[in-house]
Amino acid sequence: MGLRGRATARPDRSPRPSRTGRPVQPGRSGQADQPGQQGQRGHPGKRPRWPRARRGLLAALITGALVAPISAAATHPEIPAPAPAHTGTLTPTTLDSAYAANRANAAEAARMAAAHGDRSRADAVRSMADPSRHFLTFDARGSGRAAEVIGDLAKADHVAVLVPGSDTSLDTYDRFRAGALALQKRLGPRAAVIAWLGYETPGTISADVLTTGLAKEAAPELQEFISELRRVNEHARLTLLCHSYGTVVGARAASGLDISDLVLIGSPGTGVDSAAGLHTKARVWAGRGGEDWIADVPHARADLFGTTVGFGTDPVSPAFGAHVFAAGDGGHSDYLKPGSVSLANIARIVLGKTPEMTHG
């Protein structure tokens, strides 16, 4: 979820098949909205508040995004890419063959993008074909889909799945991956982290980023993915870590997930009024950095032009009922920044060391 940058809209709403056979939508790329990167500037310990006039401007931007979204992506043709590799059912014994098939698919996608003249996409995807990379799923069509494993998934005692926010695509994937790398390093060798780019993320300024539409489409995909992980590793403690608009996705999927903990960071709201409304047995956690601009986005829902806009109750508020943890003074993209308070506390949640946490 983001409220900065250029307005975008999908140029092509025709469905394309996903690896599971259900239709998903081609997306677009832009400035990634990721945890683990440099955040908003400001004075340490102080989060700038928006005056009333700027809140009015925000409302105008919301209306403009709904009424007349502008598409920069519409001028760019689709980049050719191969169909996803057929990897079969994932099990501990088929992981290596799945990794190899997806690396080969990434290498072919890089060749096709280069032949098409898109050097940026070719370079981004070529790095994913490196022998050190381990993808459970990979699809370079459109904005792209990927699920990359950092660590030893089959033997891990603790597994964290990261769900990203807006404008995340194969072109901006490295920013998302940086957070996964930082978290796995903090967790240690007995843990694995999965960067799950398994849905079409919304643009930072668009109708999609203000509604649950894309989250509704993504939730079944996330539920199936978690079920597949359980077939690969049934004993691991599994945590779902969702950032920004990704918290809306996690909330939509929560009731059907076999997870120990659900972590919401930098959330605009989840689309429900309380943690109880998620209907999950998992413990629900929420954190927000002191300089995260998302705090100044109205946490409310309203009907506008026949569409429900906004996501309701602030997850870090007492009314929501989540366990609130200290996230330090970081900005919207700093939650998995090495050395940060938020990264330390998120790692404690994943490892089940919650008595050692600091709370918000």
Side-chain angles (χ1 to χ4, degrees):
M1 158 79 180
L3 291 174
R4 294 175 293 181
R6 269 184 293 180
T8 55
R10 288 191 297 283
D12 180 4
R13 295 304 297 259
S14 59
R16 62 179 175 83
S18 69
R19 187 176 58 82
T20 59
R22 286 192 296 272
V24 295
Q25 304 292 337
R28 61 202 180 280
S29 63
Q31 181 180 356
D33 176 10
Q34 303 304 333
Q37 302 303 312
Q38 188 65 35
Q40 174 183 334
R41 294 180 180 178
H43 299 290
K46 295 182 180 180
R47 177 170 51 78
R49 290 286 184 180
W50 289 12
R52 187 181 302 273
R54 294 188 68 183
R55 289 178 184 269
L57 176 60
L58 174 63
L61 289 173
I62 290 172
T63 303
L66 284 167
V67 176
I70 302 170
S71 176
T75 61
H76 299 286
E78 287 291 316
I79 304 168
H86 295 285
T87 57
T89 302
L90 290 175
T91 68
T93 58
T94 63
L95 278 179
D96 286 343
S97 61
Y99 294 156
N102 285 316
R103 285 194 296 266
N105 190 272
E108 178 62 18
R111 286 192 290 270
M112 293 176 70
H116 184 68
D118 195 312
R119 294 183 60 183
S120 177
R121 170 60 68 90
D123 290 344
V125 176
R126 187 178 296 111
S127 67
M128 298 175 182
D130 187 276
S132 65
R133 306 290 288 270
H134 298 142
F135 288 92
L136 294 172
T137 62
F138 183 83
D139 184 354
R141 296 174 298 175
S143 59
R145 305 286 188 275
E148 183 175 7
V149 178
I150 313 296
D152 190 336
L153 176 58
K155 296 179 180 179
D157 295 324
H158 306 274
V159 175
V161 177
L162 309 188
V163 181
S166 67
D167 277 335
T168 310
S169 68
L170 292 186
D171 302 292
T172 61
Y173 179 81
D174 281 350
R175 303 174 187 178
F176 178 40
R177 182 175 184 258
L181 290 168
L183 178 58
Q184 199 280 330
K185 183 176 180 180
R186 177 79 192 204
L187 293 173
R190 299 297 300 174
V193 176
I194 299 173
W196 185 78
L197 175 56
Y199 79 109
E200 180 187 2
T201 65
T204 51
I205 295 288
S206 69
D208 290 330
V209 82
L210 305 169
T211 69
T212 60
L214 291 179
K216 290 178 182 178
E217 296 176 7
E221 299 289 345
L222 180 56
Q223 290 172 339
E224 181 171 340
F225 181 74
I226 296 297
S227 295
E228 288 182 337
L229 289 186
R230 282 302 184 197
R231 289 195 291 270
V232 175
N233 186 332
E234 62 183 9
H235 74 271
R237 177 189 180 89
L238 205 159
T239 299
L240 186 66
L241 175 59
C242 307
H243 176 245
S244 200
Y245 188 86
T247 66
V248 187
V249 176
R252 296 289 305 188
S255 63
L257 298 179
D258 180 14
I259 58 176
S260 299
D261 297 89
L262 172 62
V263 184
L264 311 172
I265 54 175
S267 178
T270 62
V272 299
D273 293 328
S274 67
L278 297 173
H279 302 293
T280 177
K281 295 180 180 179
R283 288 185 298 178
V284 180
W285 302 85
R288 185 168 64 221
E291 294 187 11
D292 190 342
W293 54 266
I294 205 76
D296 290 305
V297 174
H299 287 85
R301 285 195 301 271
D303 289 330
L304 188 62
F305 306 111
T307 301
T308 300
V309 179
F311 305 109
T313 309
D314 186 345
V316 300
S317 70
F320 190 78
H323 300 280
V324 178
F325 62 91
D329 295 327
H332 190 61
S333 299
D334 293 335
Y335 290 96
L336 298 180
K337 186 177 180 179
S340 65
V341 172
S342 57
L343 176 61
N345 276 331
I346 289 168
R348 290 169 182 139
I349 294 171
V350 175
L351 296 172
K353 298 181 178 179
T354 54
E356 302 175 14
M357 290 180 61
T358 54
H359 295 273

